[in-house]
Amino acid sequence: MESLKLGSLEVWPPVVLAPMAGITNAPFRTLCREQGGGLFVCEMITTRALVERNAKTLKMIRFAPEEKFRSIQLYGVDPVTVGRAVRMVAEEGLADHVDLNFGCPVPKVTRRGGGSALPYKRNLLRAILREAVRNAGTLPVTMKMRKGIDDDHLTYLDAGRIAAEEGVAAIALHGRTAIQHYGGTADWEAIARLKEAVTEIPVLGNGDIWSADDALRMMESTGCDGVVVGRGCLGRPWLFRDLAAVCEGSAERARPSLGEVAATMDRHATLLTESFGSEQHAVTDFRKHVGWYLKGFVVGAELRRRLATSNTLAELREGLAELDAAQPWPDGVVDTPRGKTHARDRVHLPAGWLDDPYDLAVPCADAELDTSGG
C-alpha cells in the first residue's frame, strides 16, 4: 500500500477523515489524529462566509498547533467567490490543503444548486475548479462528490475527467447518489469505474466503511488509492488506529472496554469545553455523541437518558462513573451503520436545473448561506 500524494503533501496512511458539520471540529479531529495518521478535514465552510470573514466561520477553521496537515473543505457555487476564498487560504496561510464539496445532499444546499447538484452543470463545475486551482498557489486542491443526482442523472465520470483536466490533485467519490442521501448501500463498483476512467490523479473511495476491514475490502475490490471515512468513526475515533494497522498489514484491532470508552467520552467533552469556552455549550453539543459511543454496550435506558441530557461536565462524569467499566467490547454488533441512514423521495433542485447540463449560469446569491454548515 502506498502513501497518498496530494501535490507536495504525502499522507500516510492513505486515509481521510470526511468533513462532517457539527462533528469534525478541532476536538474530534484531535481524538482521531491521536489514534493514527491520515488527513483530518475540518467542518465544511462556505466560500462566501470565508471571504466576508464571518466570525463563526473563522473560528471553525482554527487548527491545533500539532495538526500536521491543516485541511479545509470549502463549499461554493460561484467561480469568482471560490477563487477569492482559495486565494485567501493560500495567501494568509490558513491551511495546507483545500477540498471542495460537491457531495452534500441536504435540501438547503441542493435546492440552491450547490453540493451534489452542481456537477450536473459541467461547464460551471469546470469554471469553479479552474479558479480554485489557479488561485491555490502551491496548495493542493481536491474535490469530493457523489455519483450524481439520481440514477438517471449520473455525473461522476464526467466530473472526474474534468477534475483531472483542471489540475485537481485528487478526487473522492461517495458511492451514492444525492437521492439516496445516506440510505441503501454504497456502490463500490462506481468507485472502481472512476479509478479506471481517471488514471492521472488519485481516486479515493467513500461510503459504508464501518471498520478497517471494510476499508481494506474497498481498496482491494476497487483499486482506489485511499479511503474517506465519515459516519464510520462516529463514536469510534479509534477506528483510525485500526486503519493505520490494516494499512501496515497488521491484524490488530482496537477493542476498548466500556471503561476505556467512558474515558474517551470524558476527554471528548473536556476538549469541547476548552475549545468552545463554554461548558454548557460543550456538554450540550456532546449529547449527540453519547448514543454513538455506547452503541452495542449493555447500558440501561435511564442511564443512557441521563448521559444524553447532561448539562455540565459534573453531571456527565457522574453518569460515566456508573457504567460497568469492565464490560468488554461487544464484538460483532457495533461495526454497523451510525448516523443518518434514510433515503429521500426526491432531490430538491432549482427550477429548470436539469434542462441544460452545460449551462454556465451561476446559481443565485443565496446559494451560499451566510453561515457555514450542511
Side-chain angles (χ1 to χ4, degrees):
M1 198 173 294
E2 298 181 356
S3 299
L4 174 62
K5 293 180 174 59
L6 305 176
S8 62
L9 305 184
E10 187 167 342
V11 180
W12 178 261
V15 172
V16 179
L17 168 64
M20 292 177 281
I23 303 292
T24 56
N25 45 39
F28 187 73
R29 295 198 306 273
T30 294
L31 291 176
C32 295
R33 191 180 66 252
E34 290 174 346
Q35 298 294 323
L39 187 67
F40 302 90
V41 189
C42 77
E43 300 171 79
M44 182 187 86
I45 63 173
T46 71
T47 54
R48 174 178 149 192
L50 182 60
V51 298
E52 293 180 357
R53 298 186 181 273
N54 178 281
K56 177 182 175 182
T57 295
L58 293 177
K59 186 174 182 180
M60 289 170 65
I61 61 174
R62 292 177 184 171
F63 295 91
E66 62 273 16
E67 292 196 59
K68 184 178 181 181
F69 299 130
R70 299 166 301 154
S71 182
I72 287 179
Q73 188 184 71
L74 301 178
Y75 154 62
V77 297
D78 181 351
V80 174
T81 305
V82 171
R84 289 177 59 197
V86 173
R87 177 177 293 182
M88 179 177 167
V89 172
E91 292 183 347
E92 298 184 20
L94 300 179
D96 306 304
H97 160 247
V98 173
D99 185 55
L100 298 178
N101 183 305
F102 298 108
C104 184
V106 301
K108 73 175 182 180
V109 170
T110 61
R111 70 163 48 100
R112 295 176 172 87
S116 52
L118 196 142
Y120 184 74
K121 301 292 189 180
R122 275 71 164 176
N123 289 336
L124 178 59
L125 175 67
R126 185 183 294 278
I128 290 174
L129 296 178
R130 181 171 295 176
E131 283 300 301
V133 172
R134 187 175 71 84
N135 284 280
T138 60
L139 299 187
V141 175
T142 62
M143 65 177 282
K144 186 170 184 285
M145 61 183 179
R146 287 189 171 229
K147 289 170 56 182
I149 294 173
D150 53 36
D151 286 340
D152 293 325
H153 302 89
L154 298 177
T155 56
Y156 70 101
L157 292 178
D158 283 350
R161 295 186 187 100
I162 290 170
E165 291 167 1
E166 294 302 328
V168 169
I171 47 179
L173 175 63
H174 184 157
R176 286 181 170 88
T177 57
I179 199 169
Q180 283 182 272
H181 206 61
Y182 296 98
T185 302
D187 180 6
W188 290 5
E189 290 184 6
I191 298 169
R193 288 192 291 272
L194 180 63
K195 176 61 182 173
E196 291 172 356
V198 180
T199 58
E200 305 95 321
I201 58 177
V203 171
L204 308 178
N206 176 227
D208 292 351
I209 296 178
W210 307 107
S211 69
D213 296 294
D214 290 335
L216 183 60
R217 284 199 306 275
M218 174 185 280
M219 295 183 74
E220 289 178 341
S221 65
T222 69
C224 67
D225 302 286
V227 296
V228 179
V229 179
R231 294 174 299 149
C233 66
L234 296 178
R236 303 288 185 268
W238 47 85
L239 174 58
F240 288 91
R241 191 191 325 171
D242 291 350
L243 290 165
V246 81
C247 289
E248 297 283 358
S250 170
E252 182 179 351
R253 301 291 181 267
R255 292 294 182 261
S257 66
L258 184 52
E260 292 170 317
V261 171
T264 301
M265 294 172 71
D266 187 330
R267 182 146 188 272
H268 192 167
T270 301
L271 288 172
L272 285 170
T273 300
E274 295 171 355
S275 179
F276 292 171
S278 166
E279 181 176 321
Q280 184 174 7
H281 180 193
V283 176
T284 300
D285 184 80
F286 180 74
R287 291 173 178 174
K288 60 178 173 280
H289 295 272
V290 170
W292 298 328
Y293 274 113
L294 297 181
K295 183 169 184 177
F297 288 99
V298 178
V299 180
E302 174 58 22
L303 180 51
R304 284 179 181 267
R305 184 197 65 78
R306 284 195 286 119
L307 287 168
T309 57
S310 299
N311 290 302
T312 66
L313 284 174
E315 288 180 19
L316 179 66
R317 287 166 177 162
E318 181 180 344
L320 292 174
E322 295 181 34
L323 294 172
D324 176 10
Q327 188 177 150
W329 178 262
D331 279 322
V333 297
V334 291
D335 292 336
T336 53
R338 293 179 294 283
K340 305 171 184 176
T341 57
H342 60 284
R344 297 293 176 120
D345 294 329
R346 67 188 181 93
V347 180
H348 296 266
L349 299 168
W353 188 254
L354 299 177
D355 292 348
D356 183 0
Y358 299 100
D359 180 15
L360 191 53
V362 175
C364 60
D366 67 353
E368 289 197 43
L369 308 179
D370 58 357
T371 56
S372 304

